[in-house]
Amino acid sequence: MKMVPMTGLILNEHEGEVHDAELDYYGQRLATCSSDKTIKIYSINNGNKTLLANIKGHHGPVWQICWSHPVSGHLLASCSYDKRVVVWKESNDWFNIFEFTHESSVNAVAWAPHQHGTILASASSDGSVGVHVFNKEWSSKSFSAHHNGCNTVAWAPYKELLFGSDQTDFGKKLVLASGGCDNLVKIWTVENDQWVQVGEINCHTDWVRDVAWTCTIGDNRQLIASCFEDKTVVVSHSDDYSKWFSVRMHLFDSRVWTVSWSKIGNVLAVFAETNKVSLWKENTIGHWISCSDIDDTKGVED
């Protein structure tokens, strides 16, 4: 994975609040989305940006975007307050090649690991999770996940034969986590072509805002980080997807919006309402400690 210098990069082409920004697999292009109903694509080179595309088509604020793995082609998924999930494909210009309409705002989208094929999940305020599969043509299924609304989705990472001969399927199953306004993180998998709940993380007193899933290198642990309106971040681990053991990592001074794992799964980035990003790492006795803070006005603090 290429490291891309981003220091001092300022994006000011949107006419509304920017809700999400994501680099593609190679770190060469940056997609952003905004309340101005548009998605913008930038080329990133040595810390400089060039606007490549201004994608229009949503009829409300665009909450989140997600690049597919290159094996699926140059695809970008987006979701919006207009109740729609849209998949855009690049072919000189960007074209809408698929869309699905929920019954309320769509708050999150996430591509499954590419080893499973071209599969996209969506989370909606109508309480449902949608799973959209491309196999010669697109097909969609949705299921009720959180009765008060679903805010986020994340897929279990794909890991090849890391868990011993007695658990050869663990790490390779198609498994999904969702978080909702019922204060729960739920774990789902496919059985007999139906999505069924196989696990649950219940340790919070307010809405789940984001979940991030990783599998650590070395001890091969499956970890889910979740953040909540109650100002906490929880890290949970499991050996079978059904039983989860949780540790409250930290109580923050403000609500926490986003959590994200490093590529090797040992550092967790936490973004709080105060526009402050902190990085966390587990020490040798299982405690999570802050290894740096990133503040909009102060930069990096050790």
Side-chain angles (χ1 to χ4, degrees), residues 145-176:
H146 301 270
H147 65 275
N148 289 332
C150 187
N151 298 322
T152 181
V153 284
W155 294 94
Y158 185 95
K159 292 295 179 182
E160 185 76 42
L161 298 176
L162 293 178
F163 299 92
S165 59
D166 59 334
Q167 297 189 64
T168 55
D169 288 336
F170 188 64
K172 297 195 295 182
K173 293 182 68 175
L174 189 63
V175 184
L176 178 69

Side-chain angles (χ1 to χ4, degrees), residues 169-216:
D169 288 336
F170 188 64
K172 297 195 295 182
K173 293 182 68 175
L174 189 63
V175 184
L176 178 69
S178 63
C181 300
D182 53 7
N183 311 341
L184 298 175
V185 176
K186 297 183 179 182
I187 315 301
W188 309 86
T189 192
V190 179
E191 293 181 2
N192 299 319
D193 204 33
Q194 298 294 322
W195 285 91
V196 296
Q197 184 180 344
V198 295
E200 184 175 283
I201 300 170
N202 182 4
C203 54
H204 285 273
T205 60
D206 215 328
W207 293 7
V208 183
R209 278 299 177 188
D210 196 21
V211 292
W213 201 324
T214 191
C215 182
T216 59

Side-chain angles (χ1 to χ4, degrees), residues 30-79:
L30 178 70
T32 61
C33 62
S34 169
S35 287
D36 66 9
K37 308 176 187 179
T38 70
I39 301 164
K40 298 187 187 297
I41 310 294
Y42 300 89
S43 171
I44 305 298
N45 184 23
N46 295 324
N48 298 313
K49 65 178 176 68
T50 303
L51 181 62
L52 299 177
N54 183 29
I55 303 173
K56 299 180 180 180
H58 280 292
H59 309 303
V62 186
W63 301 132
Q64 195 174 69
I65 46 185
C66 190
W67 293 96
S68 70
H69 190 278
V71 299
S72 297
H74 298 290
L75 303 181
L76 183 68
S78 61
C79 61

Side-chain angles (χ1 to χ4, degrees), residues 34-300:
S34 169
S35 287
D36 66 9
K37 308 176 187 179
T38 70
I39 301 164
K40 298 187 187 297
I41 310 294
Y42 300 89
S43 171
I44 305 298
N45 184 23
N46 295 324
N48 298 313
K49 65 178 176 68
T50 303
L51 181 62
L52 299 177
N54 183 29
I55 303 173
K56 299 180 180 180
H58 280 292
H59 309 303
V62 186
W63 301 132
Q64 195 174 69
I65 46 185
C66 190
W67 293 96
S68 70
H69 190 278
V71 299
S72 297
H74 298 290
L75 303 181
L76 183 68
S78 61
C79 61
S80 170
Y81 183 76
D82 67 9
K83 308 178 185 180
R84 293 188 301 150
V85 180
V86 178
V87 177
W88 310 88
K89 183 177 177 63
E90 183 185 24
S91 179
N92 294 322
D93 202 350
W94 288 86
F95 298 93
N96 177 340
I97 62 167
F98 168 77
E99 64 178 67
F100 177 84
T101 303
H102 283 270
E103 295 180 3
S104 190
S105 172
V106 187
N107 304 315
V109 284
W111 293 101
H114 69 276
Q115 294 90 343
H116 296 300
T118 303
I119 304 175
L120 179 71
S122 56
S124 173
S125 292
D126 64 18
S128 71
V129 170
V131 179
H132 318 283
V133 180
F134 180 77
N135 184 11
K136 296 183 179 179
E137 61 182 15
W138 287 94
S139 62
S140 297
K141 287 186 177 181
S142 63
F143 58 91
S144 179
H146 301 270
H147 65 275
N148 289 332
C150 187
N151 298 322
T152 181
V153 284
W155 294 94
Y158 185 95
K159 292 295 179 182
E160 185 76 42
L161 298 176
L162 293 178
F163 299 92
S165 59
D166 59 334
Q167 297 189 64
T168 55
D169 288 336
F170 188 64
K172 297 195 295 182
K173 293 182 68 175
L174 189 63
V175 184
L176 178 69
S178 63
C181 300
D182 53 7
N183 311 341
L184 298 175
V185 176
K186 297 183 179 182
I187 315 301
W188 309 86
T189 192
V190 179
E191 293 181 2
N192 299 319
D193 204 33
Q194 298 294 322
W195 285 91
V196 296
Q197 184 180 344
V198 295
E200 184 175 283
I201 300 170
N202 182 4
C203 54
H204 285 273
T205 60
D206 215 328
W207 293 7
V208 183
R209 278 299 177 188
D210 196 21
V211 292
W213 201 324
T214 191
C215 182
T216 59
I217 294 177
D219 56 9
N220 302 320
R221 290 181 300 158
Q222 294 275 349
L223 300 178
I224 289 180
S226 48
C227 63
F228 301 76
E229 289 268 344
D230 61 14
K231 305 179 183 179
T232 64
V233 172
V234 166
V235 178
S236 308
H237 72 273
S238 175
D239 294 327
D240 60 5
Y241 297 127
S242 61
K243 297 178 181 179
W244 291 85
F245 304 92
S246 301
V247 174
R248 190 173 77 168
M249 191 190 77
H250 189 68
L251 176 62
F252 289 82
D253 296 330
S254 62
R255 291 177 294 181
V256 183
W257 296 132
T258 306
V259 285
S260 180
W261 292 103
S262 64
K263 289 300 180 183
I264 60 174
N266 65 339
V267 176
L268 180 68
V270 177
F271 176 63
E273 186 179 31
T274 54
N275 290 333
K276 186 176 182 180
V277 178
S278 56
L279 304 180
W280 298 80
K281 191 171 184 178
E282 189 178 22
N283 64 17
T284 56
I285 59 173
H287 295 161
W288 289 85
I289 58 173
S290 176
C291 44
S292 73
D293 293 331
I294 304 172
D295 189 280
D296 277 351
T297 58
K298 300 178 181 178
V300 178

